[in-house]
Amino acid sequence: MRIKTISRSVDEFTRERSQDLQRVFHNFDPSLRPMEKAVEYQRALTAAKLEKIFARPFVGAMDGHRDGISCMAKNPNYLKGIFSASMDGDIRLWDIATRRTVCQFPGHQGAVRGLTVSTDGNVLVSCGIDSTVRLWNVPRPSLEDSDLSSEKSAEPSAVYVCKNALLAVDHQFEGELFATSGAQIDIWNHNRSQPVHSFKPGNDSVISVRFNPGEPDILAVSSNDRRMIIYDIRMSSAAREIRMQTKTNSIAWNPMEPMNFTGANEDGNCYSFDGRKNEEAKCVHKDHVSAVMDIDFSPTGREFVTGSYDRSVRIFPYNGGHSREIYHTKRMQRVFCVKYSSDATYVISGSDDTNLRLWKAKASEQLGVILPREQKKHEYNEAVKNRYKHLPEIKRIVRHRHLPKPIYKAIAESRAVNNAKKRKDDRRKASSAPGTIVTKPLRTRRIINEREVE
Amino acid sequence: MEVALEDNNLMEKVVLTPDEQEMDVELEAKEKKYLRGEGANLETLKDKKLKTQLASREKLYGKSAKAAAKIEKWLLPASAGYLETDGLEKTWRIKQTDIAKEVDILSSRNQYDIVLPDFGPYKLDFTASGRHMLAGGRKGHLALVDMMNMNLIKEIQVRETVRDVAFLHNDQFFAAAQKKYAYIYGRDGTELHCLKERGPVARLRFLKNHFLLASVNKIGQLHYQDVTYGDMVASIRTGKGRTDVMEVNPYNGVVALGHSGGTVTMWKPTSQAPLVQMQCHPGPVSSLAFHPNGHLMATSGKERKVKIWDLRKFEEVQTIHGFHAKTLSFSQKGLLAAGTGSFVQVLGDSSGAYSRYMSHSMVKGYQIEKVMFRPYEDVLGIGHSMGWSSVLIPGSGEPNFDSWVANPFETSKQRREKEVHLLLDKLPPETIMLDPSKIGAMRPSRRKEKPTRGEVEAEKEVAIEAAKSVEMKKKTKGRNKPSKRTKKKKELVENVKRTFPEQEHSAAGKKRRIGGEDDAAAELPACLKRFARTN
């Protein structure tokens, strides 16, 4: 007879000294865990509710400007600082941690329309409607800066004058050139007082400029005649252009997929394009009710933030049609510029009410140092919530956002209008011969034409 | 012989030994368990983005199932017990005294008889980890025992009849069904609550995941109470009379009652009607037990049969003749213990069907009241009229526990943490259903096609046949005239036909429109006649 029974000795299963860790044993057999799906669902529900409880996205506001903020620039080498410029010519460098101005750059007469920093973080380039381009030396952050009372001010290292008012500026990623735009597009070198190249896309002014992060010589501009044009600065004319039904206020390239760019359009939508294939938009991001003024991608390339004329800031996934988050305050007026911080944690919005606001990118994120057990629990909560987020009870909680009344009403109205239009179109289609009426998808509907210029 | 060939080009051809192949097969079998069912069928999806996302997720599930299978094979600290005989010896002839000689000292401490002749037949309950045991004697003796070191933690004498005892979520609280009401006690013996609403309770069971204390009382009412905040979630009048056979299915939280008519009914707190009613025995059901995997149920009736039922199809799988079991219990590994009189039989399903594995007969006068397997140990606890005993049944317990599910070596800090986590994971009573895997699943789309004309005709024929074949009652005293009988039959058939009228009308209407345009034109008022549709 062979016999064996379970016999557990206490030493094997308990700790020897009180300084030791407690022993943990795992058995992943599903038969030991009855009703595991129901328990998981319950945990997902709790996780969704906790996320809402901890959602406090607003971190703080930086005030100091005396007029509405027109543009911002982020320093690629210094995470804590951000540049902002206002409509009265005031340029400031802010320290985000203390939310105070570190340095001021006075000098522009009139609104500053464009602000950009060189890749090594030493030179700040600004341009304004007083037709000047000014180059500034960015002060290095040092220990003396901890003295909060001092606010330095710097002198421009160079001032270049042009013929017309300038509307935008952007710096090349890995080079020495920067581009300004106004009546035409000029490519400048830091040391030359005259532009190196010039491009004239048409008779209308060019309102925004962006260099490609992957290819240093590719440039995307948007002009007032509703075109988005891609230039290669080594060639003498445009490479491609897309004409839409409404003008694009701002363009941003995806830093992780540099062939794709997204344009923030005047009709409230953002259109993502593949730079190589422009016949149709890759994705249409719809949620704003008024013109989208600015757009910036997260360094992960997975999300982008948009600021709109309807007083809200939205965060969209790079491939999703609807926003995942909306930020608004009673005090925040028209948002003219937004930036996603380089560590993908914060979103900074500059608005008409002279304040820069700092928001968390993930509203319920716990900032600061997180213990590994806490981190695991957050990850588990996130994963279990994503598993069941399509079910009605959890979907209701996860999707719920409080909208300001004007936006809520505008959305309801546009929904009613769109439904009526759709009904009419469906009836027209149903009562006509099949094949005569073809509905174009939204991705192509808003593009008037596109061409590749040789 | 194993040969590892290397092709010049790309692939390495490895031929496995039979041992390795066996291991692969074994691992695959284990993997299946961890996969928890079939993967989703992604071929029907048209959305490419969703398809790729789901495909990557399915791959991840496969990987984690493989890892879990490997852990089970190599990393688990203990292996299951067994009892094997060689030659002509039969396992059911082996006595506990023979076993005692062969096992080590720790196991032999688990074989004992505690004789308490004064306090009546004892009912037992174990906590989920098997560490604590609660023994309740009919004459009012309640004893809370720590099984690891055989400490008597607390014993109280309530001086009243105690019909049943049950632990709540851990060893800190227990409930006793006493003469008039049920009471909840703390670990130190203080009476915490008197549950007056329930009346004289016959059986008490605790649903762990839902924190519901279920009880059936002498009138046959079923009560569910949430013990976290005391609300009575449901009180159901079963309508089947008095019963004291009640068990909880651990797989789905459903409560099953065995009635004196031989029916077993299954209940959930959110409905007043039973989920299932099964006719199990011709006579009263004397006891009931559920297999931990939730698919098998054992019932025994007074006609000396023990039947094993499959709960997925509600069909009888096996009948075991010969004895009438007053109490039944399944172990974690699927062994079935049945107690009758002073004899316990343990049946095992190693050969597919349940057959005799071991047996234990006690002293003639000891009437067995309850048998219950101790979780995570190879021990069977027997409560009888002269106290309680414990015998060794190798191969009945799960050898490897999971610290996060049930830890027999819990410290008080771990116990407190676990209580908080249990409360956070408490399920609402609406989640009790026959098939718990439906939670989180999508409802199939309601786009049921309207039945075609042929189908409707077929249904109609079937219904008419059924109406025609109904047996008419033979009336007496001159009321059984043939004319009246035929009239009645016709009426029945007419009633059935009347339930299918709409099909005829709409179908006929459609025919009219398609067939005759002129008719359509004729229907329009005169001023609109020129707009009538012409081909």
Side-chain angles (χ1 to χ4, degrees):
Chain A
M1 165 174 71
R2 286 178 304 281
I3 187 166
K4 177 184 178 292
T5 52
I6 300 170
S7 69
R8 295 194 189 96
S9 73
V10 183
D11 315 322
E12 273 177 42
F13 292 91
T14 50
R15 61 181 181 185
E16 286 176 5
R17 303 165 294 175
S18 59
Q19 302 142 311
D20 290 340
L21 295 172
Q22 292 284 2
R23 291 195 197 183
V24 172
F25 298 91
H26 290 291
N27 185 350
F28 298 108
D29 199 345
S31 61
L32 291 182
R33 296 164 172 81
M35 285 181 271
E36 49 188 358
K37 276 197 104 173
V39 170
E40 254 192 5
Y41 177 82
Q42 202 63 27
R43 286 182 183 166
L45 192 59
T46 319
K49 291 178 183 171
L50 280 178
E51 194 205 3
K52 283 282 166 255
I53 291 173
F54 289 123
R56 301 250 175 98
F58 184 59
V59 178
M62 299 176 250
D63 65 356
H65 278 290
R66 281 178 291 277
D67 205 343
I69 316 266
S70 57
C71 50
M72 298 196 293
K74 50 183 180 185
N75 189 331
N77 283 1
Y78 185 48
L79 212 57
K80 254 196 342 170
I82 190 148
F83 296 92
S84 68
S86 69
M87 300 282 195
D88 62 356
D90 185 18
I91 304 175
R92 288 169 188 243
L93 167 61
W94 298 90
D95 178 43
I96 299 184
T98 52
R99 298 202 283 275
R100 285 176 181 277
T101 310
V102 169
C103 186
Q104 290 203 11
F105 304 90
H108 270 285
Q109 326 279 331
V112 178
R113 276 324 190 87
L115 207 56
T116 183
V117 187
S118 69
T119 327
D120 55 7
N122 290 331
V123 180
L124 170 69
V125 183
S126 68
C127 70
I129 56 174
D130 58 354
S131 338
T132 54
V133 177
R134 285 165 203 253
L135 276 73
W136 316 77
N137 279 327
V138 176
R140 287 260 124 243
S142 56
L143 286 170
E144 289 98 62
D145 284 349
S146 54
D147 183 4
L148 298 167
S149 59
S150 75
E151 261 193 24
K152 299 196 294 217
S153 77
E155 288 288 316
S157 64
V159 180
Y160 304 138
V161 183
C162 316
K163 282 185 279 214
N164 302 58
L166 297 166
L167 295 178
V169 70
D170 193 38
H171 200 288
Q172 201 181 31
F173 259 78
E174 288 287 317
E176 274 192 351
L177 304 175
F178 63 91
T180 62
S181 74
Q184 59 185 30
I185 303 163
D186 295 319
I187 312 288
W188 302 74
N189 190 308
H190 283 211
N191 309 317
R192 305 270 190 81
S193 62
Q194 290 299 313
V196 176
H197 288 317
S198 266
F199 300 103
K200 199 156 165 58
N203 292 327
D204 251 309
S205 46
V206 179
I207 49 182
S208 92
V209 178
R210 277 275 185 263
F211 270 99
N212 186 316
E215 283 284 329
D217 294 319
I218 308 259
L219 178 59
V221 306
S222 80
S223 70
N224 236 349
D225 58 359
R226 302 164 290 139
R227 280 187 298 164
M228 281 196 278
I229 310 164
I230 299 180
Y231 280 96
D232 187 330
I233 57 178
R234 298 165 292 196
M235 302 196 317
S236 62
S237 65
R240 281 173 208 269
E241 66 177 47
I242 310 166
R243 188 187 293 272
M244 314 243 333
Q245 286 188 355
T246 43
K247 75 169 179 189
T248 305
N249 287 321
S250 174
I251 302 181
W253 293 90
N254 187 333
M256 280 296 147
E257 296 174 358
M259 62 278 197
N260 298 335
F261 65 93
T262 310
N265 211 309
E266 186 73 21
D267 63 357
N269 299 342
C270 299
Y271 297 89
S272 288
F273 287 91
D274 185 335
R276 307 163 294 188
K277 186 172 177 258
N278 298 334
E279 290 127 25
E280 61 168 20
K282 272 185 74 156
C283 190
V284 180
H285 312 274
K286 304 172 72 161
D287 253 339
H288 278 295
V289 296
S290 197
V292 188
M293 305 305 294
D294 197 11
I295 178 173
D296 191 30
F297 262 91
S298 148
T300 61
R302 293 286 161 165
E303 291 184 329
F304 59 87
V305 61
T306 58
S308 137
Y309 196 71
D310 68 359
R311 304 195 200 96
S312 66
V313 170
R314 282 192 193 253
I315 300 181
F316 287 85
Y318 77 115
N319 56 359
H322 288 278
S323 59
R324 113 174 134 79
E325 192 72 75
I326 174 174
Y327 295 149
H328 58 89
T329 332
K330 267 199 203 147
R331 297 208 179 150
M332 183 161 75
Q333 301 304 315
R334 318 286 176 184
V335 180
F336 285 125
C337 44
V338 285
K339 283 275 178 244
Y340 214 119
S341 79
S342 308
D343 59 354
T345 327
Y346 297 100
V347 157
I348 304 141
S349 68
S351 57
D352 202 17
D353 56 293
T354 78
N355 288 329
L356 273 112
R357 283 187 179 78
L358 187 66
W359 311 81
K360 287 193 228 170
K362 288 196 182 33
S364 48
E365 191 181 356
Q366 184 182 351
L367 299 173
V369 178
I370 307 182
L371 297 172
R373 275 176 71 187
E374 272 183 298
Q375 179 68 28
K376 278 217 175 91
K377 184 83 175 101
H378 289 318
E379 282 168 11
Y380 176 79
N381 277 353
E382 194 61 36
V384 81
K385 186 170 50 96
N386 282 337
R387 186 179 263 201
Y388 291 98
K389 69 172 180 237
H390 56 282
L391 292 175
E393 211 179 348
I394 294 181
K395 185 160 114 179
R396 193 181 136 253
I397 296 173
V398 169
R399 261 171 35 114
H400 175 260
R401 296 281 183 288
H402 175 250
L403 292 175
K405 210 175 231 166
I407 297 183
Y408 184 73
K409 288 200 171 152
I411 289 179
E413 200 182 309
S414 69
R415 190 183 298 138
V417 163
N418 285 340
N419 280 349
K421 239 189 249 173
K422 189 169 186 304
R423 264 200 304 269
K424 284 209 166 111
D425 284 336
D426 284 343
R427 285 191 193 133
R428 234 174 250 141
K429 208 173 176 181
S431 48
S432 52
T436 44
I437 298 188
V438 175
T439 45
K440 286 171 82 175
L442 188 59
R443 293 193 300 275
T444 49
R445 219 183 294 164
R446 309 295 278 176
I447 303 175
I448 295 180
N449 61 27
E450 68 93 28
R451 61 194 190 105
E452 195 172 326
V453 183
E454 275 309 318
Chain B
M1 288 306 287
E2 176 196 49
V3 173
L5 303 164
E6 269 193 41
D7 269 351
N8 281 341
N9 296 337
L10 299 159
M11 289 193 298
E12 238 185 73
K13 240 207 252 176
V14 174
V15 174
L16 299 169
T17 57
D19 289 331
E20 287 177 6
Q21 279 175 340
E22 223 180 83
M23 253 205 290
D24 267 355
V25 166
E26 207 186 313
L27 276 179
E28 262 189 56
K30 287 199 211 275
E31 248 179 76
K32 249 185 140 177
K33 176 171 62 166
Y34 289 105
L35 275 175
R36 291 163 169 92
E38 297 291 320
N41 183 11
L42 300 176
E43 302 302 318
T44 53
L45 283 177
K46 285 186 214 146
D47 183 353
K48 283 189 201 157
K49 205 162 51 166
L50 186 63
K51 208 171 177 177
T52 40
Q53 280 174 5
L54 288 181
S56 61
R57 217 187 272 185
E58 292 282 335
K59 232 194 219 171
L60 210 61
Y61 291 160
K63 271 194 208 160
S64 67
K66 272 205 178 82
K70 282 204 186 130
I71 290 174
E72 187 187 329
K73 190 167 165 61
W74 300 113
L75 290 182
L76 288 180
S79 59
Y82 53 81
L83 173 63
E84 280 162 21
T85 52
D86 25 41
L88 297 166
E89 211 183 349
K90 301 283 182 194
T91 51
W92 62 84
R93 297 216 186 279
I94 295 176
K95 297 201 184 196
Q96 289 292 312
T97 43
D98 303 329
I99 294 178
K101 291 183 211 145
E102 306 273 333
V103 293
D104 57 324
I105 190 164
L106 274 177
S107 299
S108 61
R109 282 176 58 201
N110 280 328
Q111 284 178 325
Y112 55 83
D113 276 299
I114 298 205
V115 177
L116 295 158
D118 311 320
F119 294 114
Y122 276 81
K123 287 251 163 100
L124 303 175
D125 193 26
F126 288 102
T127 51
S129 60
R131 172 114 188 204
H132 295 91
M133 184 184 78
L134 180 62
R138 183 81 62 78
K139 306 244 176 15
H141 179 214
L142 293 172
L144 181 55
V145 183
D146 178 348
M147 301 296 276
M148 200 77 64
N149 27 20
M150 292 311 292
N151 261 353
L152 180 69
I153 297 176
K154 187 72 193 175
E155 70 177 330
I156 50 178
Q157 172 60 259
V158 300
R159 293 189 292 176
E160 252 191 350
T161 329
V162 165
R163 288 192 210 100
D164 198 11
V165 287
F167 269 116
L168 298 193
H169 54 283
N170 55 17
D171 62 301
Q172 301 293 311
F173 303 96
F174 59 90
Q178 294 179 211
K179 178 171 158 190
K180 269 175 133 185
Y181 312 116
Y183 292 82
I184 294 184
Y185 295 89
R187 186 180 138 117
D188 53 357
T190 37
E191 180 192 310
L192 297 173
H193 301 283
C194 170
L195 309 173
K196 283 203 170 116
E197 255 186 60
R198 297 172 184 237
V201 170
R203 260 318 149 91
L204 272 176
R205 289 283 182 270
F206 189 68
L207 282 77
K208 286 192 185 44
N209 299 79
H210 312 269
F211 274 78
L212 289 175
L213 186 60
S215 68
V216 66
N217 67 10
K218 287 196 155 189
I219 320 169
Q221 289 174 337
L222 190 53
H223 290 271
Y224 287 89
Q225 186 168 24
D226 189 325
V227 296
T228 53
Y229 55 96
D231 225 24
M232 186 64 78
V233 169
S235 34
I236 301 171
R237 289 165 51 211
T238 58
K240 299 220 177 258
R242 175 183 169 157
T243 169
D244 62 346
V245 176
M246 177 176 91
E247 288 296 331
V248 174
N249 187 343
Y251 175 68
N252 53 17
V254 146
V255 160
L257 298 175
H259 299 282
S260 50
T263 47
V264 167
T265 49
M266 301 206 191
W267 301 86
K268 66 176 183 181
T270 46
S271 70
Q272 291 287 322
L275 286 167
V276 180
Q277 283 192 45
M278 294 165 68
Q279 182 70 33
C280 290
H281 292 278
V285 177
S286 50
S287 72
L288 195 58
F290 283 103
H291 193 287
N293 70 7
H295 298 311
L296 289 180
M297 176 173 80
T299 62
S300 89
K302 292 224 152 72
E303 82 278 14
R304 299 223 188 150
K305 284 196 190 141
V306 171
K307 295 192 184 183
I308 315 269
W309 302 84
D310 182 329
L311 291 176
R312 287 169 290 197
K313 298 184 249 171
F314 297 105
E315 270 177 9
E316 191 187 321
V317 171
Q318 199 188 346
T319 312
I320 298 153
H321 302 267
F323 58 95
H324 140 248
K326 179 152 188 238
T327 160
L328 287 171
S329 169
F330 270 102
S331 84
Q332 279 176 321
K333 284 279 186 189
L335 299 180
L336 175 61
T340 51
S342 62
F343 183 65
V344 177
Q345 246 213 58
V346 177
L347 309 161
D349 68 338
S350 51
S351 55
Y354 275 90
S355 55
R356 280 185 291 179
Y357 175 56
M358 284 179 75
S359 62
H360 177 65
S361 65
M362 316 197 65
V363 176
K364 204 65 176 154
Y366 289 23
Q367 294 298 310
I368 294 181
E369 179 76 14
K370 177 155 180 169
V371 287
M372 188 168 175
F373 278 101
R374 191 171 147 200
Y376 301 108
E377 289 281 347
D378 279 338
V379 163
L380 175 66
I382 306 170
H384 48 79
S385 56
M386 302 289 261
W388 70 84
S389 321
S390 154
V391 293
L392 279 179
I393 311 282
S396 59
E398 170 65 53
N400 298 299
F401 61 86
D402 189 317
S403 307
W404 303 118
V405 170
N407 187 355
F409 300 94
E410 232 169 19
T411 61
S412 67
K413 235 186 181 178
Q414 286 173 334
R415 189 197 68 231
R416 292 200 295 258
E417 284 278 320
K418 187 152 171 56
E419 192 174 12
V420 173
H421 283 295
L422 278 179
L423 284 170
L424 284 173
D425 292 338
K426 182 182 88 155
L427 300 174
E430 295 84 43
T431 55
I432 297 177
M433 53 184 79
L434 279 177
D435 182 10
S437 61
K438 273 207 205 136
I439 293 176
M442 303 293 280
R443 224 185 287 168
S445 56
R446 290 282 189 82
R447 248 185 280 146
K448 209 170 54 160
E449 305 269 332
K450 265 182 117 184
T452 63
R453 213 148 159 250
E455 282 173 9
V456 172
E457 294 282 342
E459 266 177 54
K460 202 167 144 193
E461 294 296 314
V462 168
I464 291 176
E465 285 304 309
K468 279 191 185 159
S469 60
V470 159
E471 288 280 325
M472 308 272 314
K473 185 175 176 190
K474 276 223 168 84
K475 293 203 176 171
T476 54
K477 293 194 179 175
R479 286 191 221 114
N480 196 7
K481 288 199 195 133
S483 57
K484 278 203 178 154
R485 260 188 286 151
T486 47
K487 208 162 129 191
K488 184 113 196 195
K489 260 217 162 129
K490 261 194 185 168
E491 235 181 78
L492 279 177
V493 176
E494 283 301 312
N495 280 343
V496 165
K497 276 194 187 164
R498 210 180 296 150
T499 58
F500 294 88
E502 301 102 31
Q503 298 300 316
E504 286 189 34
H505 281 173
S506 59
K510 266 201 180 127
K511 240 194 192 158
R512 242 185 279 141
R513 237 178 289 142
I514 295 168
E517 309 291 338
D518 307 318
D519 283 6
E523 278 171 12
L524 290 172
C527 53
L528 296 175
K529 279 245 169 79
R530 50 189 150 143
F531 297 114
R533 208 177 215 201
T534 50
N535 273 0

